[in-house]
Amino acid sequence: MRLPYHVLSARNWSSGLLVVLAVLATAPSHAQAPDSLATLGRKLGQYQRQALTEQLFLHLDRPAYVAGETLWFKAYAVEGTAHRPLAMSKVAYVEVLDAAQRPVLQAKIALVQAMGQGAFELPTDLPTGRYTVRAYTNWMKNAGPAFYFHCPITVVNTLQAMPVAPPTAQAGPAYEVQFFPEGGQLVRGLPGRVAFKVTDQQGNSVAATGTVADATGATVASFQTLKFGLGSFLLTPAAAGAAYQATVRLPGGAVVTSKLPAVAEQGYAMLVTDDSPTQLTVAVQTAPGSASTEPLRLLAHTGQQVTVAATAPLAGGRATFQVDKRRLRPGITHFTVFSGQRPVGERLYFRRPSHPLAIQGKASAAAHGPRSRVQLQVGTAQPAALSLAVYRLDSLATPAPADISSYLLLAADLPGFIEDAGYYFRDSSATAQLAADNLMLTQGWRRFKWEDVVAGQAPVNTYPPELNGYLLQGRISQPTGAPASGVPAYLSLPGRHFTFANSLSRADGLVQFELPNFYGLRKLVFQTNSVRDSTCRLELLSPFTAGGGGSAPGLAPLATHLTTALSKRHLQVQAQREFQALPPRYRAVPSDTLAFFGQPDEQFRLDDYTRFPSLEDVMREYVPAVLVRKRKDGFHFVVIDRPRHLNLQDNPLTLLDGLPVFNINQLMAFDPLKIKRLQVIANRYFLGQQVYDGVVSFSTYKGDLGGYPLNPHALIEEYEAMQVPREFYTPHYDTEAQQRSRLPDLRNLLYWNPDVRLAAGQPQMLDFFTSDQAGRYLVVAQGLTKDGQLGSTSFTLDVKPAL
């Protein structure tokens, strides 16, 4: 959730805060006494428990692809404070989005013990461009798309003409300059730091210099970008409402002018100084002449967990807080200053992790020949779960995306694209520290509103976590289009081992079915009672989020010197598709051979009995727990509740291969020779919100309904459930015949292992074979421990051409 004073345009961020703070400053103070810091901390903790932060990280096998290749990935689910594995959600939704945020590929991935794996076959007609891999869980939808996992990838289509010319200019300015006052506002007479961000039309960072002038044209500040188009400068506004204008000089001689946010007459200015190895100084000042003397309070939290709470007197218009850095958790800390219950200033601070997970990795040799065995040794000091990829570095390779540490500790808590997030972890210099602070100053984002926390308002969680399996949602409407409330709904996956679920529509017509172990392409039947609710309209809802979230910067035009590399990659992909030795192999997925009702009270294999020509005879002769009654409207089943020696009143829940049957007359006309088995629950059965007078379940020999006519009002479709995990194939060259095979092996990705489990201090040997492609290959391993330590490592190995 955004800050209460944060608006869509970062350019207006400070002015929006200024308006809110001005309103708060003039609000009546006769409300309840201010909460103590301890109370604020407890309320934030309570809020955090009700709005548990869940995060996903995907390790992709490589950053750049050719259309037609396979994109492999490993998913890690963690909680957002200590980043421990969070085995809450059982499904992750993974998408590949184009530059317009339209999905080109989508998949549902099973999460088992907080981890999952999957793959996408990139279509051969996918255009060249920059794409975004996005991932989230149903629970993460409550936070919104800005907090989904995002990772940019590059796809090059060698079958299409290369876009070597610059893209057509879009409408609007060629560059955008944004300014962000520290703490949220500029206040008359108070020194403050102003951060800025410069990007081009495609969202790429731009280096720039500039000056700031007042209304008279006098220069009052100068600035230049430090890293990634970001920088900051100090400014002391002279008067309220003063207009300041920046002149920004860009590469190629372009000049852009932009106004700074307006200056407030009253308010608070926040200035954080980081000039000590162990201490931070947080100074807060009020405008000259302010009558406020109320002590100020500072609350710091990381992942909504309070790390610092302090009070300081406001003396001479200034309050100063000293913060011990060691009390701050690694990652992003939010500093919020309160006057009473009112937040009057906020900014972010980043602390690098001091003890990341150390992953040791090395190859058996620095160089290998074609089709030779490679042995990798990988180890950690603590038990850890890793994923590992080995891919070829060529001229098409793009910068590596954020690794698991830089993503979860930095990028995951910031909206939009963060350029080279790993830089802030690799570099510990003073320059990198200042660059990280510039990044923090350009962000004003959190997942909640302080007003809700102070008021004890529980968060609104529209989307429940998928604790046991996939939650499929649908909607039932009346013929007029209005929601149909209180209508029983049924969902079936017919088969030998069928799935059946029911639901009752809510006031808005929504129904929800929980489907554990729901894999692959399955025939799905969604219906209401065809006898009572035949006029209802049915639809299934997509679990994927439409749009939302920022896109990665556009792909720069491809240089003409890449022609050779493109031709080689084209040959690699075509050869691999043509000469792939084996079809894709898939892992076994869990399945439940027991029906939802468990062990039946009575069970009959009809081949064990004399076969009768009608189902009526079968029921009367063999099934003592079910009576067949004929009434004015035809046949009915009556189940005998044996424990209570009662005849139940209504028809039982009657199923054929998991499909509910509402017209017993139609079932009685069905050929009994197609039925293999009959199971009976001989008492009342409770399922969800509905109660049935027993269960009678018929199964055909093939689980294909045996030609039984389907409800004409049912919604029937082939539904793509959770993706069946695919095995990564790597050829072996153990024998001389395999070595001399004339089948070309032009693999660009030598090895992918999404499930490397390491014991403490016990390195593991992983082996694979090189391909016919000589060159330098990058080994990337990353993962985490049970207590949330994150880490990654990378190193290279060379494949020399055959002599």
Side-chain angles (χ1 to χ4, degrees), residues 153-479:
I153 61 170
T154 298
V155 176
V156 176
N157 193 318
T158 60
L159 298 174
Q160 299 175 358
M162 292 296 104
V164 295
T168 304
Q170 303 174 15
Y175 299 96
E176 183 176 19
V177 183
Q178 300 171 318
F179 293 95
F180 309 82
E182 182 172 10
Q185 61 179 340
L186 293 172
V187 183
R188 172 185 60 87
L190 300 181
R193 187 181 289 111
V194 180
F196 62 93
K197 178 179 181 179
V198 185
T199 55
D200 64 14
Q201 200 173 40
Q202 283 74 46
N204 300 292
S205 62
V206 178
T209 61
T211 56
V212 177
D214 61 17
T216 67
T219 299
V220 295
S222 60
F223 57 85
Q224 66 178 18
T225 54
L226 177 67
K227 196 79 176 175
F228 308 128
L230 305 177
S232 61
F233 57 89
L234 289 173
L235 178 67
T236 304
Y244 291 93
Q245 181 165 284
T247 301
V248 184
R249 297 170 180 81
L250 300 151
V255 177
V256 174
T257 59
S258 180
K259 291 183 179 180
L260 268 66
V263 178
E265 173 67 28
Q266 296 291 330
Y268 295 81
M270 189 175 178
L271 190 64
V272 175
T273 306
D274 186 6
D275 53 7
S276 166
T278 59
Q279 297 284 326
L280 282 176
T281 301
V282 181
V284 185
Q285 292 180 274
T286 59
S290 172
S292 177
T293 60
E294 184 177 15
L296 298 181
R297 295 178 292 172
L298 176 70
L299 200 68
H301 67 90
T302 306
Q304 298 174 213
Q305 183 179 77
V306 175
T307 53
V308 174
T311 301
L314 188 61
R318 180 183 176 93
T320 303
F321 302 88
Q322 297 294 330
V323 177
D324 186 347
K325 292 182 184 179
R326 293 169 296 184
R327 298 180 60 185
L328 306 180
R329 298 184 66 93
I332 295 177
T333 294
H334 295 246
F335 285 109
T336 307
V337 177
F338 290 85
S339 175
Q341 297 185 67
R342 299 180 290 114
V344 296
E346 183 167 88
R347 66 105 80 194
L348 310 183
Y349 176 80
F350 173 70
R351 179 171 178 252
R352 296 174 70 248
S354 54
H355 300 290
L357 172 65
I359 303 175
Q360 295 83 36
K362 63 178 181 180
S364 54
H368 300 77
R371 302 192 180 190
S372 63
R373 183 185 297 273
V374 178
Q375 288 188 317
L376 296 180
Q377 179 177 291
V378 183
T380 55
Q382 302 87 21
L386 307 183
S387 45
L388 186 143
V390 183
Y391 63 92
R392 187 171 182 268
L393 294 172
D394 58 21
S395 53
L396 295 182
T398 57
D403 60 25
I404 191 168
S405 298
S406 57
Y407 182 80
L408 291 176
L409 293 175
L410 180 66
D413 284 325
L414 301 176
F417 173 71
I418 306 301
E419 184 175 353
D420 194 6
Y423 163 78
Y424 305 101
F425 291 75
R426 297 189 303 268
D427 195 334
S428 59
S429 67
T431 299
Q433 183 176 337
L434 182 56
D437 207 49
N438 289 336
L439 176 64
M440 296 299 100
L441 288 168
T442 59
Q443 307 293 326
W445 202 263
R446 64 174 124 79
R447 298 170 181 262
F448 62 91
K449 295 180 179 180
W450 272 116
E451 294 94 324
D452 294 341
V453 174
V454 171
Q457 180 69 43
V460 178
N461 295 317
T462 305
Y463 301 95
E466 293 175 305
L467 299 174
N468 301 306
Y470 178 52
L471 293 177
L472 188 150
Q473 285 193 330
R475 180 178 288 114
I476 303 177
S477 305
Q478 299 175 14

Side-chain angles (χ1 to χ4, degrees), residues 103-122:
V104 296
L105 293 164
Q106 295 177 317
K108 309 172 189 75
I109 303 299
L111 294 176
V112 180
Q113 293 301 311
M115 297 179 194
Q117 55 184 284
F120 283 123
E121 290 285 344
L122 299 178

